């Protein structure tokens, strides 16, 4: 009885989902609207996919808005499968057969609306029943429109209810497992916190113990340092006294050395002064001798230069006179040669003229003889 009531309620819900749209659809098409939801909001339409198949062949993937709504126009006289899938969830299918009698092909049909809810997939739950369409929508002659096939739903409803019960149980178990895991994690956190608190307490005790030991060592070290400091001061005072004594001794020695240095410098200064005076006297004497010698050499050089200049003048005069005589002799020879050449030219010219006259006379004579 309870199963029958539950079945009727489910059928009524499915029938309610198939509502009429306000506007009508154009001829030869069936408008389909729907919405994809998830059990207990465990999924998102953004990660879901609706695939449309026609006669077993993939046609397209439908667009889904953020609320899970979708819409499509189906051609008449086709066999469509809507496949609703999302990772980690049980895939469901809806079969819509748009086959209509010939007399209804040009009729306008009421838009179809349905909703599909996806369940989370759990291991160990047999979901083979969902490989078949969970719903069938087809044309009915009695109403002249499309509607949900109640008989088809009755055939697989028991299988679907069983699978859904198993999914519900698996979901409840999943929630319980999560609760137990959360409880175990919380208990582990509490245990870890207690262990951490105990470790912190022990750490603080160790720190306090270490601090006490450190203070004790610091006190012992302080005493050792005080003793060492007193000894250092004593040694420093002794060293300073010895240093002052050595400095006083060094000062006296330095004063003695300074007096000796001054006396030595004075002696060297006197010797240097005498040496400079002697060198100056010798320099003056040498300079005077050098001056006298230079003057004598200058006089000799001047006399030699005057004699050389006079000799050069006389030599130049003789050379000039010889050159002039040679030039006059050369000019005379040239003149004589020119006169000779001119005489020879005149004689040659006279000879040629005589020969020319003789030739003309001979020709004239020969001409006269020839004329006679």
């Amino acid at each position: 009885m309870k199963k029958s009531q539950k079945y009727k309620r489910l059928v009524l819900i499915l029938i309610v989902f198939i509502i009429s749209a306000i506007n009508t659809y154009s001829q030869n098409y069936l408008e389909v609207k729907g919405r994809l939801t998830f059990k207990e909001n465990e999924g998102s339409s953004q990660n879901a996919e609706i695939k449309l198949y026609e006669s077993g062949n993939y046609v397209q993937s439908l667009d889904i808005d953020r609320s899970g709504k979708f819409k499509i126009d189906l051609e008449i006289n086709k066999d469509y499968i809507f496949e609703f899938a999302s990772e980690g969830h049980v895939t469901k299918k809806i079969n819509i057969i748009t086959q209509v009698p010939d007399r209804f092909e040009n009729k306008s049909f009421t838009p179809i609306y349905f909703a599909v809810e996806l369940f989370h997939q759990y291991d160990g739950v047999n979901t083979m029943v969902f490989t078949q369409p969970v719903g069938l929508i087809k044309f009915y002659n009695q109403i002249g429109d499309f509607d949900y096939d109640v008989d088809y739903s009755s055939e697989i409803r028991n299988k679907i209810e069983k699978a859904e019960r198993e999914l519900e149980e698996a979901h409840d178990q999943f929630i319980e497992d999560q609760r137990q895991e959360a409880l175990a994690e919380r208990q582990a956190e509490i245990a870890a916190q207690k262990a951490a608190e105990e470790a912190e307490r022990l750490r603080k005790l160790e720190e306090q113990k270490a601090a006490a030991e450190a203070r004790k060592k610091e006190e012992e070290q302080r005493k050792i340092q005080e003793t060492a400091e007193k000894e250092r001061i004593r040694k420093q005072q002794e060293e300073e006294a010895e240093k002052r004594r050595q400095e006083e001794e060094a000062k006296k020695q330095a004063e003695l050395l300074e007096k000796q240095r001054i006396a030595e410098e004075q002696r060297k200064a006197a010797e240097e002064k005498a040496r400079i005076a002697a060198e100056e006297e010798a320099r003056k004497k040498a300079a005077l001798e050098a001056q006298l010698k230079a003057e004598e050499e200058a006089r000799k050089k001047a006399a030699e230069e005057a004699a050389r200049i006079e000799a050069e003048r006389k030599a130049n005069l003789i050379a000039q006179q010889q050159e002039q005589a040679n030039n006059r002799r050369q000019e005379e020879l040239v003149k004589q040669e020119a006169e000779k050449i001119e005489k020879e030219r005149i004689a040659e010219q006279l000879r040629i003229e005589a020969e020319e006259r003789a030739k003309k006379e001979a020709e004239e004579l020969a001409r006269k003889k020839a004329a006679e």
Side-chain angles (χ1 to χ4, degrees):
M1 184 66 179
K2 289 183 178 179
K3 284 186 177 180
S4 176
Q5 290 177 351
K6 186 175 181 181
Y7 169 73
K8 290 179 179 179
R9 186 167 60 253
L10 290 172
V11 171
L12 288 173
I13 291 172
L14 289 172
I15 292 173
V16 169
F17 283 154
I18 305 172
I19 61 174
S20 298
I22 297 175
N23 57 330
T24 59
Y25 194 77
S26 61
Q27 291 181 346
N28 299 324
Y29 287 92
L30 174 64
E31 181 181 8
V32 176
K33 298 179 181 179
R35 184 180 182 186
L36 175 62
T37 61
F38 293 85
K39 183 71 173 178
E40 298 185 5
N41 297 321
E42 292 180 345
S44 170
S45 60
Q46 301 300 309
N47 299 321
E49 185 177 17
I50 303 176
K51 293 181 179 180
L52 179 65
Y53 295 86
E54 190 268 308
S55 298
N57 298 316
Y58 173 77
V59 177
Q60 69 179 85
S61 292
L62 276 61
D63 294 330
I64 314 172
D65 66 14
R66 296 178 63 87
S67 63
K69 293 180 180 180
F70 61 91
K71 176 183 176 182
I72 189 171
D73 296 333
L74 301 180
E75 295 182 14
I76 298 301
N77 297 325
K78 302 286 185 179
D79 187 350
Y80 292 100
I81 293 290
F82 286 76
E83 182 181 87
F84 302 84
S86 180
E87 185 177 358
H89 292 77
V90 177
T91 299
K92 289 186 178 181
K93 299 177 182 179
I94 295 292
N95 185 196
I96 299 180
I97 301 174
T98 61
Q99 192 73 35
V100 299
D102 294 343
R103 69 178 184 276
F104 290 100
E105 286 185 353
N106 295 323
K107 181 182 179 299
S108 297
F109 303 104
T110 303
I112 296 297
Y113 179 87
F114 60 86
V116 175
E117 184 179 54
L118 296 185
F119 293 84
H120 191 82
Q121 176 72 59
Y122 295 100
D123 295 336
V125 179
N126 185 359
T127 57
M128 288 296 295
V129 65
F130 293 106
T131 59
Q132 306 174 59
V134 297
L136 172 63
I137 297 173
K138 64 181 182 178
F139 183 82
Y140 286 90
N141 289 324
Q142 299 90 327
I143 61 175
D145 212 337
F146 290 88
D147 203 350
Y148 200 84
D149 188 341
V150 179
D151 294 334
Y152 174 82
S153 299
S154 299
E155 293 177 5
I156 66 168
R157 191 65 238 169
N158 291 334
K159 297 178 182 179
I160 292 175
E161 287 180 352
K162 180 181 178 182
E164 288 180 348
R165 281 197 304 273
E166 291 178 357
L167 288 171
E168 288 283 354
E169 291 172 359
H171 178 72
D172 293 340
Q173 185 62 44
F174 175 74
I175 297 299
E176 178 62 20
D177 291 343
Q178 285 188 327
R179 190 185 68 80
Q180 291 295 332
E181 288 178 3
L183 180 60
E185 289 178 359
R186 178 56 183 161
Q187 290 175 346
E189 289 176 358
I190 293 172
Q193 183 177 359
K194 288 182 178 180
E197 290 174 353
E198 179 63 16
E200 180 66 15
R201 186 184 67 81
L202 294 175
R203 185 187 65 78
K204 288 181 178 179
L205 287 176
E206 288 296 326
E207 285 183 352
Q208 292 172 358
K209 183 178 179 181
E213 288 291 332
R215 286 194 297 272
K216 182 179 178 181
K217 288 182 179 180
E218 287 177 359
E219 183 64 22
E220 292 175 354
Q221 187 66 26
R222 185 183 62 77
K223 290 180 179 180
I224 293 171
Q225 289 177 351
E226 287 179 355
T227 302
E229 180 65 15
K230 289 178 181 179
E231 181 64 18
R232 185 190 66 77
I233 292 172
R234 184 187 65 78
K235 288 183 178 181
Q236 183 179 359
Q237 290 173 347
E238 290 179 354
E239 290 174 356
E240 289 176 352
E242 179 64 18
K243 184 178 180 181
R244 286 194 297 272
R245 186 188 65 76
Q246 291 177 356
E247 288 176 352
E248 185 67 24
E249 184 69 22
K251 182 179 179 182
K252 290 179 180 180
Q253 185 67 23
E255 289 176 352
L256 177 61
L257 292 174
E258 180 65 15
K259 289 178 181 180
Q260 292 175 352
R261 184 189 65 78
I262 293 171
E264 181 66 17
E265 286 182 353
Q266 290 174 349
R267 182 186 66 77
K268 288 181 179 180
E271 290 179 353
E272 181 67 14
K273 184 176 181 181
R275 184 187 65 77
I276 291 172
E279 288 179 352
E280 180 64 18
E281 183 65 24
R283 186 187 64 76
K284 289 180 179 180
K285 183 178 180 181
L288 180 59
E289 291 176 353
Q291 182 180 358
L292 294 174
K293 185 178 180 180
E295 289 176 354
E296 181 64 23
E297 289 179 354
R299 284 193 296 271
K300 288 181 180 181
K301 286 182 179 181
E304 291 174 355
E305 182 66 17
R308 184 187 64 76
I309 292 172
E310 181 62 21
E312 286 181 356
R313 187 186 67 77
K314 289 180 179 180
N316 289 335
L317 180 60
I318 293 170
Q320 185 178 3
Q321 290 173 353
Q322 289 177 351
E323 184 179 359
Q324 290 175 354
N326 289 334
N327 289 338
R328 285 193 298 271
R329 186 170 57 255
Q330 187 68 26
E331 288 175 357
E332 185 65 26
L333 291 174
V334 170
K335 182 178 179 182
Q336 291 175 0
E337 183 66 23
E339 289 176 351
K340 180 181 178 181
I341 292 171
E342 181 64 18
K343 288 178 180 180
E344 290 176 352
R345 186 188 65 79
I346 293 171
E348 180 66 18
Q349 185 176 358
L350 292 174
R351 184 186 64 78
I352 293 171
E353 289 177 354
E355 289 178 353
E356 186 69 25
R357 283 194 302 272
K359 182 180 179 182
K360 288 181 179 181
E361 289 175 356
E363 289 176 352
E364 181 64 24
L365 181 60
R367 185 182 61 78
K368 288 179 178 181
K369 286 180 178 183
E372 292 176 355

